[in-house]
Amino acid sequence: ELRLRPAGSETPTWPGQTAAGSRVKPTRLRIEADEAQFLAELLPLLESRLPERPPLALTAPPCPADAGPLHPLAVAEEVRHVLDPADLLVADGGEFGQWMRAGFRDLPNRQLVNGKLGAIGNAIPQAIGAALANPGGRVFAFLGDGTFSYHAAELDTAVRERLCPVILVGND
């Protein structure tokens, strides 16, 4: 059963906090339902209202050998040829890392990404941590040259710990 009703003048509060001290806005609509049943019924309704869209198709521009710098998607296409499904991929938040993330979007590999907000600097430390957590497994990190300058010295940590993550730096 799903009931929708105006919430009245109630203001939600955290335990031990008075309504007057709350920064939470008053509710305008209260939903009373079993959560699992509510979601099971709501999701098909939402999906039925989404517009039909063709699948996202990303294709790297042609890159002849003498054409200059490669587009990051062309790099991703080449890297795909050497990846195994068990390889772990780390994509930094900068532009190069985001292109790699897009280029690997359909792979079954485990991927460490920092979300879509674009913060940079995570790739080398995450690759080292992933290599420590996955002894004998292959780890690939994709980052731009700016990100590389944040934690380049951490490669010394990888050497001292006898770790071998593959670090691919894009000049973006």
Side-chain angles (χ1 to χ4, degrees), residues 80-165:
R80 291 171 74 104
H81 296 295
V82 300
L83 292 177
D84 293 325
D87 295 337
L88 193 139
L89 312 178
V90 179
D92 199 74
E95 184 176 348
F96 186 77
Q98 294 299 328
W99 279 112
M100 294 298 103
R101 186 174 166 195
F104 302 141
R105 73 198 174 285
D106 59 339
L107 293 180
N109 299 71
R110 293 175 297 158
Q111 298 185 30
L112 289 174
V113 297
N114 68 347
K116 46 190 165 181
L117 298 179
I120 65 173
N122 62 294
I124 293 175
Q126 280 187 334
I128 290 171
L132 280 169
N134 189 26
R138 295 194 320 171
V139 177
F140 290 80
F142 304 93
L143 53 142
D145 51 345
T147 292
F148 182 73
S149 68
Y150 277 55
H151 296 291
E154 293 302 330
L155 295 179
D156 177 64
T157 302
V159 170
R160 282 186 284 112
E161 296 296 325
R162 301 185 190 293
L163 302 172
C164 297

